[in-house]
Amino acid sequence: MNLHSGLREYTLTSALKDSRFPPMTRDELPRLFCSVSLLTNFEDVCDYMDWEVGVHGIRIEFINEKGSKRTATYLPEVAKEQGWDHIQTIDSLLRKGGYKAPITNEFRKTIKLTRYRSEKMTMSYTEYLAHRQHHHFQNGIGHPLPPYNHYS
């Protein structure tokens, strides 16, 4: 997917259609911070412990207790922010991916793990509006932009 259209699509999806949260409202915009993580340097590793907390994000693939292939991922900052070690992170990812059976060390060894890095950018809504206004004037249009709408 094209990065520009993908960001637009996933921004709208996460702001308005994520079933874990109520849709964002216009009143929330002034307090909004948006972060985008671009994931890079994907590497498949042989050992599920071959990654560094706070440096690598990890994506796991496993077969659940019903025989279905499942996946789950955490960005590089998640384990560090939660204070988790390797095992706690892997076990949390297994649960996130829907694994319900007891987790053993033998089962952990069956996981296919991919590590990656990410570059994260964060911007407040106020910074976004200032950037948008500046870009608009730089392009020689010379009049204020219309108010924000959900599809800008």
Side-chain angles (χ1 to χ4, degrees), residues 60-112:
I60 62 169
E61 187 175 298
F62 61 94
I63 305 297
N64 72 7
E65 59 278 5
K66 296 179 181 178
S68 299
K69 183 163 68 169
R70 303 297 301 243
T71 64
T73 190
Y74 279 142
L75 295 171
E77 61 269 17
V78 172
K80 186 175 182 180
E81 287 173 358
Q82 297 299 317
W84 293 337
D85 62 21
H86 286 73
I87 299 297
Q88 291 169 316
T89 305
I90 295 292
D91 289 358
S92 177
L93 262 182
L94 286 166
R95 296 298 184 217
K96 178 182 178 185
Y99 189 73
K100 297 190 180 4
I103 301 170
T104 64
N105 204 41
E106 296 309 309
F107 182 75
R108 289 185 195 102
K109 291 177 184 177
T110 69
I111 294 167
K112 177 184 176 205

Side-chain angles (χ1 to χ4, degrees), residues 10-59:
Y10 286 107
T11 298
L12 290 171
T13 298
S14 52
L16 304 173
K17 300 176 185 174
D18 189 328
S19 62
R20 298 171 296 173
F21 309 102
M24 261 182 40
T25 65
R26 183 177 296 272
D27 294 339
E28 292 176 288
L29 289 175
R31 299 182 309 279
L32 178 69
F33 282 84
C34 180
S35 297
V36 174
S37 295
L38 296 178
L39 312 182
T40 62
N41 303 87
F42 288 84
E43 301 173 288
D44 291 333
V45 296
C46 296
D47 182 346
Y48 72 96
M49 298 287 280
D50 188 9
W51 57 280
E52 191 175 333
V53 171
V55 172
H56 296 108
I58 57 172
R59 178 186 184 273

